[in-house]
Amino acid sequence: MTNIAVFASGNGSNLQALIDAIGRGALEAQIKLVVCDRPGAYCLTRASQARLPSFMFYPQKYQSKAVYEELILRQLRERDVEYIVLAGYMRLIGPTLLEAFPQRIINIHPSLLPSFPGKDAIGQALAAGVTLTGVTIHYVDEGIDTGPIIAQWPVFIDPGETRESLEEKIHAVEHELYPKVLQEIFSKRRENLD
Ligand code: GRF
């Protein structure tokens, strides 16, 4: 069993996919903490419905990223968290957490990186008029969606595709791919530890 913390800022449908995968035994992990930077975000409701502890913080209340990340780090250490899993967390991870979790922070992004990094990757792909986009899972480094790529999956943009229909296709891929890839990473790590 791998102890993880899931960081989210919004709807939390990927958090839900991880909760569900754990529930059916497809992902051997335990969510020790849900970290959220937005009061009222639906990911917090999902966490409480699943009886998961959550930590909500107001970034503006702190002097710097280092200060609030130190606070988060303390919570992660208290709970023996081994991996940070980002699921729609809308902030850049700073040196405090990056140094404490080297190659242990993973993100999912709704494009085929390095194309369309940053905010609104789905809108960027539609605006660019490409016929192919997708989903990327990668390790997090100090850049915006620049870390080493772990897995990618293509999603075709059909003629007449709307934002809604594309979002739906991308989310469906994300919800299947994220638990699967995390399970692979965690089981490989366990093999190496044995
Ligand atoms: C996902 O599309 C993910 O790839 C991106 O943010 C979105 C989060 O969606 N990083 P949700 O909150 O998990 O529904």
Side-chain angles (χ1 to χ4, degrees):
M1 200 62 85
T2 302
N3 291 340
I4 65 173
V6 179
F7 286 32
S9 302
N11 176 30
S13 69
N14 281 283
L15 166 66
Q16 190 65 54
L18 300 179
I19 293 170
D20 295 345
I22 291 170
R24 60 174 189 272
L27 174 59
E28 292 163 286
Q30 225 181 334
I31 301 176
K32 300 296 253 182
L33 191 65
V34 173
V35 174
C36 176
D37 61 339
R38 291 206 187 148
Y42 193 61
C43 57
L44 289 168
T45 307
R46 295 184 193 270
S48 72
Q49 279 169 354
R51 295 174 196 278
L52 297 174
S54 56
F55 175 63
M56 209 286 293
F57 70 102
Y58 295 86
Q60 327 73 259
K61 271 190 18 189
Y62 300 93
Q63 235 175 3
S64 66
K65 190 184 288 269
V67 175
Y68 69 71
E69 285 200 344
E70 200 56 57
L71 205 68
I72 296 172
L73 184 55
R74 217 177 306 151
Q75 302 256 352
L76 302 182
R77 290 213 163 116
E78 271 170 23
R79 293 174 163 84
D80 292 322
V81 166
E82 300 167 87
Y83 277 86
I84 296 176
V85 173
L86 306 184
Y89 181 65
M90 299 302 286
R91 274 170 200 282
L92 258 187
I93 299 290
T96 307
L97 288 176
L98 282 171
E99 278 159 28
F101 287 85
Q103 293 279 95
R104 298 270 187 282
I105 309 179
I106 297 164
N107 184 40
I108 188 161
H109 183 78
S111 77
L112 293 177
L113 291 171
S115 292
F116 313 127
K119 282 189 185 154
D120 193 20
I122 295 176
Q124 290 185 53
L126 283 171
V130 293
T131 54
L132 179 69
T133 184
V135 171
T136 301
I137 294 170
H138 65 97
Y139 288 111
V140 172
D141 65 9
E142 62 291 341
I144 300 176
D145 304 319
T146 50
I149 290 172
I150 303 166
Q152 293 189 299
W153 199 263
V155 173
F156 287 96
I157 302 179
D158 296 322
E161 189 88 58
T162 65
R163 195 196 165 88
E164 267 176 9
S165 66
L166 182 57
E167 254 170 21
E168 205 173 297
K169 275 156 61 173
I170 288 200
H171 277 136
V173 169
E174 288 185 332
H175 299 162
E176 200 178 321
L177 195 64
Y178 215 5
K180 232 184 236 172
V181 169
L182 290 174
Q183 172 65 9
E184 274 170 31
I185 294 169
F186 299 159
S187 59
K188 260 187 217 149
R189 168 133 186 278
R190 278 193 295 271
E191 275 167 29
N192 291 339
L193 292 177
D194 286 344

